[in-house]
Amino acid sequence: MAIFRQGSSTTIGTKYSNPQPNSGGRENLQSLIAQTNTTFLRVRVIDIVLNNNHPRFKDVGEWNGIGTIYFEPLDGRAINVNYAYPIFPQIKMYPLVNEIALLAGIPSKFTENEQNTNIVYYYFPPIGIWNHPHHNAYPTTANYSELQEAQSNDYDFVNGAYVRRIDDDPTGINLNFTKYANPSQDTFVEKADVHPLLPFNGDVIYEGRWGNSLRFGSTISTPTNTQLLINNNWSATGSNGDPITILRNGQPSNVTDEGWIPITEDLSTDLSSVYLTSYQKIPFSIANENFVSYTTPPTTPSQYTNPQVIINSDRVVINAKNDSVLISGQSSIGLSSNGSINLESTSEINIASKLTRLGSKSANQSVLRGDETIAYLKILITELQNMAEALKVVQDWPGGAPTPNPVVLTAANSALQVFENVYNEIDSVKSKTVKTL
């Protein structure tokens, strides 16, 4: 039978005892809400619907039921409803199989004129049994002595309680499905080297399961005589409370396998990062900091202590799909590379400035304006042609009789041919794609 969301009728549900008759719908609603406060369940997730290939996809309402979990109560009680919906539709924080969740049961619909005792369960994000962002799956047995030897090595007894500490290949917990086979969802692979982030006083941190995170933090300047085992690298300058926001995707590739030990972000070694700073100094060097084209070089990113935005990754792509990419700087815009800098356009590349230097910041030789230079050269060639024509009629007067000078005549004819060829071809040396004032 199909499962329907709140607001639609359902014949599957756990019944409340019928509320006592009262004088109005408001009291009835309040009574239902009051009873709802007692319907919390601690459950183990045994399956979750994440795509249309799941065998129960249609039963949970198709696409409206994405995120629906199937569960079994931890206390072993028998209930008629074994599925639950996400309680926060705007935040997708779905549990893995064998993680523990807290469920709240509420009436399947609220009406003021109809008493309804069917309930629907909604689940909160998974409970942090191990206080770790990667997963918090709980072994199917609550007795440590019953765990298999390979699996029991993943747990240590600390201060009267067991903690999960994996320093090799993890074993023993199914994190994909246990109830309904769906190979398309059999994709979660447990990793021993995913480290949680170390929080600092006042931080708000969101962490994914794979070393991706968003920290709303601040400068944390500890006393000089205080030594922390783990510290951040952005608090060398500024004052406590200076805000910093760090978006990180992927931790360093050389982290240890002791995934239970927290780490902090590192712009130089994390896979991809975006830093929004206020007055922090970030230890980081860009690929090329020569700045030889500058008369007054800019402050390097690692020494800058005013607000800046830093984006760092193996590759950065900025694309405007419909309009423009606008890059503007009050002081300068620096483009540097250890390879080449390439500018391409299917239309035009326009550079406008009071002074453009090519090759060096101290370049002082002027660039010739091509069209005017060609015009002057044509004038010069024309005059040379006139001189050559005049030389053709130069004569010698041996014995008083005029005779053409064969040497001058030959040279004049040859020069005229060269001048004509140059004159006819000189326009072709002008660039068709580069123009200047």
Side-chain angles (χ1 to χ4, degrees):
M1 178 175 292
I3 300 171
F4 299 95
R5 285 302 188 93
Q6 177 181 324
S8 301
S9 61
T10 175
T11 59
I12 301 178
T14 299
K15 296 286 186 178
Y16 287 105
S17 59
N18 288 330
Q20 296 296 320
N22 52 59
S23 59
R26 182 180 301 277
E27 289 77 8
N28 184 36
L29 177 61
Q30 292 174 343
S31 176
L32 286 174
I33 294 175
Q35 293 180 64
T36 300
N37 291 335
T38 66
T39 57
F40 286 99
L41 287 176
R42 294 176 297 113
V43 303
R44 179 192 306 280
V45 178
I46 58 176
D47 214 326
I48 183 169
V49 179
L50 294 177
N51 59 42
N52 61 308
N53 289 326
H54 196 282
R56 302 304 297 271
F57 176 69
K58 292 189 175 182
D59 294 340
V60 301
E62 298 183 346
W63 297 112
N64 288 338
I66 292 297
T68 300
I69 65 168
Y70 288 85
F71 64 84
E72 56 185 22
L74 287 180
D75 58 11
R77 74 173 70 178
I79 59 175
N80 294 328
V81 179
N82 70 335
Y83 55 86
Y85 301 113
I87 198 167
F88 301 123
Q90 296 87 2
I91 302 175
K92 304 296 189 292
M93 195 179 298
Y94 297 152
L96 297 170
V97 167
N98 277 317
E99 287 192 315
I100 307 303
L102 181 66
L103 272 56
I106 64 174
S108 61
K109 62 180 178 180
F110 289 89
T111 63
E112 294 192 358
N113 299 318
E114 178 184 352
Q115 293 183 359
N116 179 19
T117 58
N118 293 329
I119 67 169
V120 175
Y121 284 109
Y122 292 85
Y123 65 87
F124 292 89
I127 296 174
I129 297 294
W130 311 119
N131 194 27
H132 199 284
H134 188 48
H135 80 78
N136 287 276
Y138 192 64
T140 54
T141 177
N143 188 345
Y144 177 80
S145 63
E146 295 178 6
L147 294 173
Q148 299 177 1
E149 180 179 358
Q151 187 179 357
S152 64
N153 291 334
D154 294 342
Y155 301 87
D156 288 338
F157 193 75
V158 178
N159 291 335
Y162 286 100
V163 295
R164 184 169 172 82
R165 291 181 173 178
I166 307 170
D167 56 8
D168 53 11
D169 293 332
T171 58
I173 299 183
N174 182 3
L175 301 172
N176 291 289
F177 60 83
T178 60
K179 188 172 180 63
Y180 303 107
N182 180 14
S184 67
Q185 291 183 192
D186 189 11
T187 59
F188 192 94
V189 178
E190 185 177 8
K191 293 187 176 182
D193 60 353
V194 175
H195 294 251
L197 284 181
L198 180 70
F200 298 95
N201 201 4
D203 284 355
V204 175
I205 302 176
Y206 297 92
E207 291 189 71
R209 297 184 184 268
W210 308 105
N212 36 12
S213 60
L214 175 61
R215 181 196 295 265
F216 297 97
S218 68
T219 295
I220 303 294
S221 180
T222 56
T224 55
N225 59 349
T226 301
Q227 292 186 351
L228 301 177
L229 291 178
I230 306 171
N231 208 338
N232 65 68
N233 62 8
W234 60 79
S235 297
T237 62
S239 303
N240 285 343
D242 289 341
I244 185 170
T245 301
I246 301 175
L247 175 63
R248 174 197 63 153
N249 185 63
Q251 59 189 11
S253 58
N254 60 347
V255 293
T256 69
D257 289 337
E258 298 174 323
W260 64 90
I261 299 177
I263 60 175
T264 59
E265 299 91 336
D266 190 323
L267 181 61
S268 297
T269 57
D270 292 335
L271 300 188
S272 295
S273 304
V274 178
Y275 278 53
L276 286 76
T277 74
S278 54
Y279 302 103
Q280 296 82 12
K281 183 185 292 186
I282 307 299
F284 165 73
S285 297
I286 60 176
N288 186 326
E289 293 186 343
N290 291 331
F291 299 137
V292 294
S293 64
Y294 280 86
T295 302
T296 303
T299 304
T300 60
S302 63
Q303 298 301 313
Y304 196 72
T305 56
N306 284 319
Q308 65 177 330
V309 176
I310 304 175
I311 302 174
N312 187 47
S313 188
D314 287 353
R315 185 176 186 179
V316 177
V317 178
I318 301 175
N319 180 66
K321 62 181 182 180
N322 290 321
D323 204 279
S324 305
V325 175
L326 304 177
I327 302 175
S328 178
Q330 182 66 35
S331 178
S332 70
I333 294 176
L335 299 177
S336 62
S337 171
N338 289 325
S340 62
I341 295 177
N342 306 298
L343 302 177
E344 298 179 15
S345 172
T346 58
S347 179
E348 297 179 355
I349 296 177
N350 300 312
I351 301 175
S353 67
K354 292 182 178 179
L355 179 62
T356 301
R357 299 186 188 274
L358 300 176
S360 171
K361 62 187 176 186
S362 59
N364 56 15
Q365 292 292 316
S366 298
V367 175
L368 294 178
R369 287 181 286 191
D371 290 348
E372 292 187 16
T373 301
I374 294 298
Y376 285 126
L377 288 174
K378 284 185 174 181
I379 294 173
L380 180 60
I381 292 172
T382 299
E383 293 302 318
L384 290 174
Q385 286 176 319
N386 291 337
M387 290 177 61
E389 289 290 347
L391 289 173
K392 287 172 59 177
V393 298
V394 171
Q395 295 179 331
D396 290 336
W397 296 82
T403 303
N405 188 318
V407 176
V408 174
L409 180 60
T410 300
N413 286 329
S414 176
L416 283 170
Q417 185 62 50
V418 171
F419 295 152
E420 182 179 2
N421 292 340
V422 172
Y423 190 94
N424 293 335
E425 297 295 330
I426 195 169
D427 283 311
S428 66
V429 303
K430 296 190 296 185
S431 173
K432 295 180 174 60
T433 59
V434 179
K435 304 296 180 181
T436 188
L437 294 176

